[in-house]
């Protein structure tokens, strides 16, 4: 038996500050069409892919910060992407910065949407593990101000029945935390979709710079294997306004093996026919949670 779904991970090169939203949307539509021509039913785009990754810069003017956020989705500017997806019958997962009023308070989230092949929005994730710092660090070559610009996501880690399987999302730094995959795994997730903006440099710990690519793959491969799920990661890569970002977008099987990886630092599709039944040996067998997890023992303190 097999349950195949052909998926494209759509890596993107930099989004320059001067590139307009309609230009970026046109770029996404081009990638969607290319994926459709290759037989894909689902396309994964990167984190906050409608703009340059603004947490890399200290911006004092709130209206300038808010110009990077979307007030509605779809909006008049992003509607053509939804329309083209519906026409092509290709779904997508899109990372964007979301501004919303909740109980009279303005909130800002680092979000991603899951859109089915008929254009329906089926799911939303708001990033929980916001990296970086709140204060300006002028001594650093670039900033990591997600803790300053975003609120912590308030939607948990959910899964949705979509694309013939069980689909979950997380965003960038969420992928480094075992809890992310396990909470999704406990809900039976079969495909985890995530986008990232990962600088090649860690200003506070430069000794870790050579490990940036290794840690990217390590966290996704471990999450895939330990939870018997596909994990797909889409990078925004290249040199974006002076910040070098990791590429190596990849598609990881439930075995933990990398099945496809991007080779460039530009817009690039990697495509793979993902068999959701490859999850079975892990979910029903070797790593069957029901038969093997012993949560009641984890907290016990051994008496001498
Ligand atoms: N956008 C991110 O979440 N980036 C982080 C960096 C700052 C460590 C990441 O986990 O890749």
């Amino acid at each position: 038996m097999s349950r195949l779904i052909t998926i494209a991970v759509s890596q993107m090169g930099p989004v320059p500050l001067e590139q307009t939203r309609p230009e970026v949307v046109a770029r996404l539509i081009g990638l969607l069409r290319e994926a459709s021509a290759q037989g894909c039913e689902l396309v994964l785009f990167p984190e906050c892919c409608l703009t340059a990754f603004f947490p890399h810069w200290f911006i004092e003017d709130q209206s300038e910060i808010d110009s990077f956020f979307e007030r509605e989705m779809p909006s008049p500017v992003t509607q053509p992407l939804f329309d083209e997806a519906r026409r092509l019958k290709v779904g997508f997962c899109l990372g964007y910065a979301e501004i919303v009023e909740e109980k009279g308070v303005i909130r800002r989230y680092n979000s991603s949407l899951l859109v089915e092949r008929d254009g329906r929005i089926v799911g939303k994730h708001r990033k929980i593990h916001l990296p970086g710092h709140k204060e300006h660090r002028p001594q650093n070559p670039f900033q990591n101000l997600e803790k300053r610009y975003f609120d912590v996501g308030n939607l948990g880690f959910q899964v949705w029945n979509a694309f013939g399987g069980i689909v979950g999302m997380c965003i960038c730094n969420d992928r480094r935390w075992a809890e992310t995959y396990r909470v999704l795994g406990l809900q039976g997730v079969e495909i985890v979709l995530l986008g990232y903006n990962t600088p090649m440099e860690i200003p506070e710990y430069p000794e870790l710079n050579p490990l940036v690519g290794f840690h990217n793959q390590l966290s996704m491969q471990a999450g895939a294997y330990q939870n018997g799920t596909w994990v797909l990661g889409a990078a925004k890569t290249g040199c974006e306004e002076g910040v070098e970002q990791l590429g190596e977008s990849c598609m990881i099987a439930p075995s933990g093996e990398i099945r496809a990886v991007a080779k460039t630092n530009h817009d690039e599709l990697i495509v793979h026919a993902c068999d959701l039944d490859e999850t079975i040996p892990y979910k029903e067998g070797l790593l069957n949670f029901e038969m093997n997890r012993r949560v009641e023992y984890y907290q016990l303190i051994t008496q001498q």
Side-chain angles (χ1 to χ4, degrees), residues 71-267:
R71 284 164 203 282
E72 53 179 336
M73 194 63 87
S75 61
V77 171
T78 51
Q79 186 67 53
L81 176 66
F82 288 73
D83 293 345
E84 188 65 358
R86 190 170 49 241
R87 191 183 74 79
L88 296 170
K89 300 190 178 60
V90 178
F92 62 89
C93 175
L94 178 80
Y96 67 105
E98 176 191 17
I99 187 166
V100 66
E101 192 177 318
E102 290 177 330
K103 296 184 184 156
V105 180
I106 298 291
R107 302 273 184 213
R108 296 171 182 83
Y109 298 107
N110 185 338
S111 301
S112 57
L113 277 187
L114 182 63
V115 177
E116 254 288 8
R117 292 155 286 191
D118 57 5
R120 256 179 323 121
I121 294 174
V122 290
K124 181 189 282 188
H125 174 66
R126 290 172 172 159
K127 184 175 182 175
I128 291 176
H129 301 95
L130 298 173
H133 41 92
K134 280 197 166 164
E135 76 293 354
H136 187 202
R137 295 187 178 171
Q139 70 280 11
N140 287 358
F142 60 91
Q143 306 296 304
N144 252 319
L145 290 166
E146 288 195 59
K147 283 185 165 64
R148 183 184 188 92
Y149 296 155
F150 294 120
D151 294 290
V152 174
N154 58 359
L155 300 176
F157 288 106
Q158 303 176 50
V159 299
W160 298 273
N161 287 309
F163 299 94
I166 304 175
V167 183
M169 294 185 280
C170 67
I171 301 175
C172 197
N173 195 254
D174 284 330
R175 78 192 184 289
R176 302 186 191 275
W177 301 88
E179 297 89 331
T180 298
Y181 304 97
R182 183 47 52 96
V183 172
L184 293 169
L186 286 166
Q187 300 170 81
V189 77
E190 294 174 311
I191 314 171
V192 179
L193 302 172
L194 68 97
Y196 57 90
N197 281 273
T198 296
M200 293 299 292
E201 201 182 332
I202 304 174
E204 291 78 8
Y205 303 101
E207 68 276 19
L208 300 183
N209 291 350
L211 300 177
V212 166
F214 169 67
H215 286 153
N216 176 52
Q217 292 185 340
L218 175 68
S219 46
M220 290 192 283
Q221 289 183 266
Y225 169 65
Q226 291 177 346
N227 296 280
T229 178
W230 287 88
V231 174
L232 312 182
K236 176 133 67 58
T237 180
C239 186
E240 190 177 74
E241 302 294 342
V243 182
E244 278 296 343
Q245 299 216 108
L246 179 71
E248 299 177 17
S249 300
C250 58
M251 306 178 83
I252 298 165
S255 60
E257 297 164 286
I258 296 176
R259 290 287 167 80
V261 62
K263 298 192 172 44
T264 72
N265 277 346
H266 310 292
D267 290 9

